[in-house]
Amino acid sequence: MEQTLSLTVLSLSISAALAAWLAPKARRRLMLSRAKHRSLTGHSKMAKRIAGWLPGYRLQEDAFYGADGADDTLQATRREAMDRLSKHFRQRVPHGAHLTQEAKQFLADLDFTGRYRVPFQFTETLAQAIHTSSFISRTSGAVIEDVDGNRYFDVSGSYGVNVLGYEAYKACMEEAVLRAGELGPVLGAYHPVVLENARRVADIAGLDQVSFHMSGTEAVMQAVRLARYHTGRRHLVRFCGAYHGWWEDVQPGPGNPLPPRETYTLQDMSDRSLDVLRSHRNIACVLVNPLQALHPNSAAPGDSSLVDSSRKASYDRAAYTRWLHKLREVCTERSIVLIFDEVFLGFRLAPGGAQAYFGVKADMVTYGKTLGGGFPVGVVCGKANLMRRYRPERPADICFARGTFNSHPYVMAAMKAFLDRLDEPQTRALYDRLEERWNGRCSDLNHRLQSEGLPVRVANMSTVWTFLYERPSRFNWMFQFYLRKHGLWLSWVGSGRMIFSLDYSDSDFAQVADRVVAAAQEMQADGWWSGPALSNREIKRRVFREMFNR
Ligand SMILES: Cc1ncc(COP(=O)(O)O)c(C=O)c1O
């Protein structure tokens, strides 16, 4: 009896101890799930699983034109419009379209981007009708010329590289060849500009040390690796929807066959995420891509995911600044390394980058793209204690990072040319009232679109813009082809992004605005925004039915 009693007491105390041990763990787990964004982007494992299940299918001719339930007359209007577009591209870009078709056989990247310009259901039927060109030959100011001699305003921004205008980069690249030409491709030892660049970039970032790499992805990898090394913690926190390159640990959802195990994807601009940072002891660093301020918790808006009109974007500088301050505070409190990933936005918002623009200091900053002066680059800046790759007291415990081409003389010389330019008065003038200028251009264009009765709008974060659609439609992605027809050169993500260089004059911009309006008018007249009034939810249901009821 006594023995049974003591056994019961023992088992009760074990359960109590277990519960006491598990309770904080369970609480942290719960906190973590509450800090996930409700969308699939916030649930990367689920998103990956669903991506693996989704069956591929193609909307054949009739289903294509009537995907929203349009009647025969409207379908015929759209068919005629497609024939006109098809003829336009056949006549205007014969050489470029031929090269593009051929290159798709050899260039895996073009094969991929070519397919993913529009939602997959429409890809193949569209590919038979429209053959655009991906081959270009020269730039002049904001204008890009294709291999058939057609001229377009470039709003692709070369993935964000083009901040100062193409002429500036051409000059930087020429200067680089002159300056480093005598040295050639010698690596390992440094051209003297490397020291100058390191000093100046550290000064701009307000941090101690710098390392040079070959791409933004590499810079992010190295920043995270160092944060892990110095904190002795494993997990990195990124925010829902944010892009940080294509390295495994920063890409937990579809697109990466090997899901990372040590990445927490949390809700952007949410106190619940701050709670996670406060309560978890295993977090080495927080990665912030400030571009997310334009579309918090959503991935970069590409047209391949434009199945309806629910794309949203709006930028609230004050709210995002408050958020960054809160993050800074928690990271300091918990000794978590705060990394600003400025690969995209560095030098675009302000000469001092996002840190200067938002008035918040990070522990580490990554740069890339434009800082290479037209050549490929990635840069990590950080406090000396975080940048050090060794421990004097444990000499075998190092944090290794190399890269054959790091500090390449041409890249470094072009970076110097870029940094020199950044200090010139005419470059500084580009930043004067920058935001005001671009916000004004955005709201003027929106007024125009509204007064013309067109269901398209634009949203911006300074010179980074996106198109939004007012009327639920299954065909918004067609807009990219009208924009191209009217002389605007977008990147493969289509109407999800327009990236302007800072040197766009009022007259350049006025021409862009005219072209946007003309493209939207033609698209509207061609019937892609007419037809049965469906809600976004009804469109999604329709797509779902198509997928599973074939
Ligand atoms: C914020 C951010 N980080 C990292 C990267 C990756 O840079 P890269 O394409 O040079 O590897 C990008 C690229 O778009 C980016 O926008």
Side-chain angles (χ1 to χ4, degrees), residues 159-161 214-220 242-247 250 288-291 341-345 366-369 376-378:
Y159 297 126
V161 168
M214 289 151 287
S215 69
T217 301
E218 255 190 292
V220 171
Y243 186 68
H244 296 284
W246 60 281
W247 165 53
V250 291
V288 178
N289 175 358
L291 179 59
D341 180 0
E342 297 200 30
V343 169
F344 190 96
L345 278 186
T366 54
Y367 299 110
K369 300 199 190 252
V377 82

Side-chain angles (χ1 to χ4, degrees), residues 189-261:
Y190 297 124
H191 188 287
V193 289
V194 175
L195 171 60
E196 261 185 82
N197 289 345
R199 228 189 246 132
R200 288 169 75 182
V201 175
D203 184 49
I204 291 170
L207 292 162
D208 308 321
Q209 281 196 354
V210 168
S211 63
F212 294 120
H213 307 270
M214 289 151 287
S215 69
T217 301
E218 255 190 292
V220 171
M221 276 168 66
Q222 171 63 353
V224 172
R225 178 180 281 206
L226 283 166
R228 284 174 164 157
Y229 175 68
H230 287 291
T231 57
R233 306 172 191 163
R234 300 166 79 102
H235 282 72
L236 79 86
V237 163
R238 63 183 278 277
F239 293 105
C240 182
Y243 186 68
H244 296 284
W246 60 281
W247 165 53
E248 310 283 2
D249 283 27
V250 291
Q251 258 211 343
N256 172 3
L258 196 66
R261 282 168 308 168

Side-chain angles (χ1 to χ4, degrees), residues 164-318:
L164 301 184
Y166 287 125
E167 298 310 314
Y169 297 93
K170 283 192 234 170
C172 289
M173 293 165 91
E174 264 175 41
E175 275 171 55
V177 174
L178 281 178
R179 191 186 291 268
E182 284 201 332
L183 179 57
V186 180
L187 298 158
Y190 297 124
H191 188 287
V193 289
V194 175
L195 171 60
E196 261 185 82
N197 289 345
R199 228 189 246 132
R200 288 169 75 182
V201 175
D203 184 49
I204 291 170
L207 292 162
D208 308 321
Q209 281 196 354
V210 168
S211 63
F212 294 120
H213 307 270
M214 289 151 287
S215 69
T217 301
E218 255 190 292
V220 171
M221 276 168 66
Q222 171 63 353
V224 172
R225 178 180 281 206
L226 283 166
R228 284 174 164 157
Y229 175 68
H230 287 291
T231 57
R233 306 172 191 163
R234 300 166 79 102
H235 282 72
L236 79 86
V237 163
R238 63 183 278 277
F239 293 105
C240 182
Y243 186 68
H244 296 284
W246 60 281
W247 165 53
E248 310 283 2
D249 283 27
V250 291
Q251 258 211 343
N256 172 3
L258 196 66
R261 282 168 308 168
E262 278 129 4
T263 298
Y264 293 142
T265 296
L266 305 184
Q267 223 177 115
D268 218 341
M269 303 181 76
S270 156
D271 286 344
R272 289 181 174 176
S273 301
L274 299 179
D275 290 341
V276 170
L277 298 180
R278 272 194 204 98
S279 57
H280 283 62
R281 285 194 294 260
N282 55 357
I283 297 171
C285 58
V286 176
L287 263 177
V288 178
N289 175 358
L291 179 59
Q292 287 305 109
L294 180 58
H295 40 74
N297 294 303
S298 303
D303 281 1
S304 71
S305 56
L306 200 54
V307 291
D308 58 17
S309 299
S310 53
R311 178 188 282 169
K312 285 195 189 74
S314 84
Y315 170 49
D316 181 340
R317 180 175 177 173

Side-chain angles (χ1 to χ4, degrees), residues 298-350:
S298 303
D303 281 1
S304 71
S305 56
L306 200 54
V307 291
D308 58 17
S309 299
S310 53
R311 178 188 282 169
K312 285 195 189 74
S314 84
Y315 170 49
D316 181 340
R317 180 175 177 173
Y320 198 73
T321 305
R322 280 196 299 278
W323 164 243
L324 290 181
H325 278 292
K326 283 194 205 172
L327 261 183
R328 173 67 279 175
E329 220 170 275
V330 178
C331 286
T332 307
E333 220 174 86
R334 304 291 300 168
S335 305
I336 294 169
V337 180
L338 179 61
I339 306 172
F340 277 10
D341 180 0
E342 297 200 30
V343 169
F344 190 96
L345 278 186
F347 307 98
R348 183 168 282 282
L349 301 175

Side-chain angles (χ1 to χ4, degrees), residues 19-240:
W21 182 67
L22 280 176
K25 265 191 140 186
R27 206 165 49 84
R28 281 199 296 275
R29 185 83 234 145
L30 185 68
M31 239 176 223
L32 205 53
S33 26
R34 280 161 52 93
K36 286 187 178 179
H37 192 252
R38 285 195 316 274
S39 68
L40 270 184
T41 323
H43 290 77
S44 46
K45 272 193 199 138
M46 175 73 77
K48 212 170 140 46
R49 211 166 293 142
I50 290 178
W53 291 336
L54 283 188
Y57 68 99
R58 162 190 180 168
L59 291 172
Q60 308 279 358
E61 287 265 322
D62 287 349
F64 182 105
Y65 294 104
D68 53 355
D71 62 22
D72 290 349
T73 317
L74 184 55
Q75 286 195 39
T77 305
R78 291 173 178 170
R79 222 179 279 261
E80 283 161 22
M82 189 67 93
D83 287 345
R84 278 195 300 278
L85 271 179
S86 171
K87 197 164 153 210
H88 167 87
F89 288 112
R90 258 201 326 272
Q91 287 175 346
R92 297 298 294 269
V93 296
H95 183 42
H98 173 73
L99 291 180
T100 307
Q101 285 307 104
E102 199 173 333
K104 280 183 189 167
Q105 295 172 49
F106 301 103
L107 275 176
D109 202 36
L110 186 63
D111 183 25
F112 173 79
T113 54
R115 283 190 84 80
Y116 285 86
R117 280 174 185 269
V118 307
F120 70 82
Q121 301 82 347
F122 296 99
T123 301
E124 285 180 34
T125 303
L126 182 79
Q128 284 167 1
I130 294 186
H131 294 157
T132 56
S133 165
S134 294
F135 284 84
I136 50 178
S137 53
R138 57 179 61 86
T139 54
S140 164
V143 170
I144 204 166
E145 194 176 308
D146 70 15
V147 290
D148 290 282
N150 302 293
R151 291 160 66 81
Y152 311 78
F153 275 98
D154 177 63
V155 290
S156 77
S158 290
Y159 297 126
V161 168
N162 188 15
V163 174
L164 301 184
Y166 287 125
E167 298 310 314
Y169 297 93
K170 283 192 234 170
C172 289
M173 293 165 91
E174 264 175 41
E175 275 171 55
V177 174
L178 281 178
R179 191 186 291 268
E182 284 201 332
L183 179 57
V186 180
L187 298 158
Y190 297 124
H191 188 287
V193 289
V194 175
L195 171 60
E196 261 185 82
N197 289 345
R199 228 189 246 132
R200 288 169 75 182
V201 175
D203 184 49
I204 291 170
L207 292 162
D208 308 321
Q209 281 196 354
V210 168
S211 63
F212 294 120
H213 307 270
M214 289 151 287
S215 69
T217 301
E218 255 190 292
V220 171
M221 276 168 66
Q222 171 63 353
V224 172
R225 178 180 281 206
L226 283 166
R228 284 174 164 157
Y229 175 68
H230 287 291
T231 57
R233 306 172 191 163
R234 300 166 79 102
H235 282 72
L236 79 86
V237 163
R238 63 183 278 277
F239 293 105
C240 182

